Amino acid sequence: MPSVSIPNTVLQRAAPAELGFDVGRLGRIREAIDRDVAAGLIPGAVIGIARHGKIALLEGYGFRDKTAGTPMWADAVFSIASMTKPMASVGIMMLAEEGRLLLGDPVSKFLPQLAGMKVAKSITSDTLETVPAEREMTVQDLLRHTSGLTYQNRGTSAAYRAYPVHGTSAALSKDDFLVQLGKAPLLFQPGTTWEYGLSTDILGFIIEAVSGQRLGAFLSERLWQPLGMADTGFELTDHTRERYARALPKDPLTGDPLVVHHATGKVSKWESGGGGCVSTVADYLRFSQMLLDGGVGNGQRILGRKTIALMTSDHLGDKIVNRLTQTMDPAFAGYGFGLGFAVRKEQGLSAANGTAGDYYWSGVYGTYFWNDPTERMTVVAGIVAPGPLRLRYRQLIRSLVLQAIVD
């Protein structure tokens, strides 16, 4: 399949063997994905691998639009959902580096609508009772998902039902959303428990409050443009719409219709730092390589080296309840959480191959990335698999890439 070139100012291609890969083993990636495309499990994929600062692989497989028979090229545009979160987290750390906020600041300092939130006495009861919060959630809590906030669709009890419906960026204004959220209960006392939810959306609102800019404008000026991420944004444009990768009509396992936000044509009323972006594998490689290179990308300093080190360290420790494996992906046992990423604390434990100190995140529609500082490698997978199969591909891509490293 044709593939895009990456400007030499960002990442250059090199022969995979020069970067320590066995070429024959690397070919197993195409074999495995072609096999799954033929079986009707996924429409196609784009896989990008960079090692030692150079591209070893950037290829498209299968179909960008299976129904139309359109082949998947490497410049395909994906709805990356929660892979927006690491970029919003970097935005917050930029403001922290400028002294415009502290990680220990209470969230209500920037968003008074969220002052005085209560905590649910039970996360399973069908009757909602609350108690006062022992302290306010902080910016650090938002970054590491210990704020107590959740997503409405992660449960059915009264506590979950009190939340604004997930995906309300297309329906509610930001102000109305914050008012509704301020009335909802936290699931846990702030700082005590890892719970996935709206925390990074709130980080996006803080960026807007502090910078005076829309989130997309801030990230474009401070992150995407400096790194040359020309195809990344919160909405499809005339330039990216024609390259947009589409899901299969129905989930191959459940038969349920597959819906991806940007494919609906709905325009959001606010920009979701927790899940609203589109991007390409090449663009996201520029971002992930910047992280791997200690905050420098495209010849520009985006964040300080020590800031990246802080973000990619475990911030849960032994005292915070870690529900990452229990509620997100059982294959990733042994991971803690940093400031925007899941972080591997030790070798072993996880069913997914990897290295102590690697860090990753993924999107609900099937996209995935991880960085391995020890191997000096970053991997980005563009796959449209919105259903349960997305969990399989997080393990599969790791296995296929790591088995090909021989030097």
Side-chain angles (χ1 to χ4, degrees):
M1 297 286 180
S3 59
V4 296
S5 61
I6 295 182
N8 289 341
T9 54
V10 182
L11 289 170
Q12 299 179 10
R13 284 186 179 271
E18 295 177 6
L19 301 178
F21 291 98
D22 181 292
V23 176
R25 284 178 167 269
L26 206 59
R28 293 176 179 176
I29 295 175
R30 175 171 291 280
E31 293 171 5
I33 293 178
D34 284 350
R35 194 163 53 236
D36 283 4
V37 170
L41 297 178
I42 54 174
V46 177
I47 307 298
I49 306 171
R51 194 166 186 230
H52 304 304
K54 294 183 179 180
I55 293 289
L57 181 75
L58 180 59
E59 292 185 0
Y61 314 89
F63 299 92
R64 179 173 57 80
D65 186 334
K66 180 70 177 294
T67 302
T70 308
M72 180 75 84
W73 290 3
D75 63 351
V77 176
F78 296 88
S79 292
I80 64 171
S82 288
M83 277 171 58
T84 307
K85 287 180 169 72
M87 297 190 294
S89 298
V90 164
I92 278 287
M93 299 308 292
M94 290 176 177
L95 296 176
E97 285 192 335
E98 294 169 2
R100 301 173 73 180
L101 58 80
L102 299 175
L103 299 190
D105 281 340
V107 173
S108 61
K109 176 179 178 179
F110 312 101
L111 301 171
Q113 302 96 320
L114 303 184
M117 291 184 71
K118 306 293 186 180
V119 180
K121 288 183 69 174
S122 168
I123 66 170
T124 59
S125 173
D126 211 39
T127 301
L128 180 60
E129 297 181 79
T130 61
V131 296
E134 295 173 2
R135 68 163 175 81
E136 290 201 51
M137 68 176 100
T138 65
V139 174
Q140 183 189 25
D141 286 323
L142 296 176
L143 284 160
R144 67 185 179 185
H145 292 284
T146 59
S147 63
L149 294 169
T150 190
Y151 284 128
Q152 184 263 356
N153 63 354
R154 283 174 62 80
T156 59
S157 69
Y160 289 97
R161 295 198 305 269
Y163 273 72
V165 175
H166 188 39
T168 47
S169 61
L172 292 175
S173 69
K174 181 174 76 172
D175 289 341
D176 288 343
F177 177 83
L178 281 169
V179 169
Q180 285 196 22
L181 183 60
K183 296 176 181 178
L186 302 175
L187 257 63
F188 304 100
Q189 290 287 347
T192 66
T193 305
W194 190 93
E195 169 66 18
Y196 199 50
L198 291 162
S199 290
T200 316
D201 285 302
I202 306 308
L203 289 176
F205 295 161
I206 292 175
I207 289 173
E208 293 185 339
V210 173
S211 70
Q213 296 177 278
R214 289 264 289 183
L215 178 59
F218 177 88
L219 291 177
S220 179
E221 177 185 317
R222 301 290 302 275
L223 183 65
W224 300 334
Q225 290 183 49
L227 292 181
M229 299 170 65
D231 290 328
T232 302
F234 280 99
E235 300 293 344
L236 290 169
T237 65
D238 291 341
H239 179 61
T240 56
R241 189 173 289 107
E242 64 184 11
R243 292 182 281 125
Y244 183 64
R246 297 184 176 273
L248 296 171
K250 293 184 178 181
D251 186 283
L253 299 184
T254 67
D256 295 332
L258 293 177
V259 179
V260 178
H261 166 68
H262 294 96
T264 67
K266 295 180 180 179
V267 177
S268 299
K269 294 186 177 180
W270 46 270
E271 293 167 334
S272 168
C277 278
V278 296
S279 189
T280 62
V281 168
D283 267 13
Y284 214 87
L285 278 172
R286 294 176 171 97
F287 171 71
S288 58
Q289 186 68 44
M290 176 274 294
L291 298 172
L292 196 62
D293 287 343
V296 174
N298 201 19
Q300 301 189 55
R301 170 68 65 183
I302 303 298
L303 284 177
R305 177 176 62 84
K306 294 293 289 184
T307 299
I308 298 293
L310 179 68
M311 295 181 73
T312 57
S313 299
D314 175 49
H315 282 247
L316 301 184
D318 297 327
K319 295 183 179 179
I320 293 175
V321 178
N322 182 350
R323 287 159 48 89
L324 180 64
T325 303
Q326 174 187 348
T327 64
M328 291 293 290
D329 191 340
F332 285 88
Y335 278 78
F337 208 85
L339 304 181
F341 321 94
V343 179
R344 190 167 190 139
K345 295 190 291 184
E346 56 188 297
Q347 203 73 15
L349 294 180
S350 174
N353 200 357
T355 311
D358 75 26
Y359 54 95
Y360 81 93
W361 206 237
S362 56
V364 72
Y365 301 135
T367 57
Y368 179 75
F369 100 99
W370 99 90
N371 278 359
D372 188 326
T374 300
E375 296 292 343
R376 300 303 302 160
M377 181 175 68
T378 179
V379 179
V380 180
I383 304 174
V384 191
L389 272 171
R390 69 184 185 274
L391 302 181
R392 174 179 186 267
Y393 288 102
R394 294 171 191 172
Q395 292 188 64
L396 179 66
I397 298 303
R398 278 181 172 255
S399 177
L400 290 170
V401 172
L402 291 171
Q403 62 83 34
I405 295 177
V406 293
D407 193 13

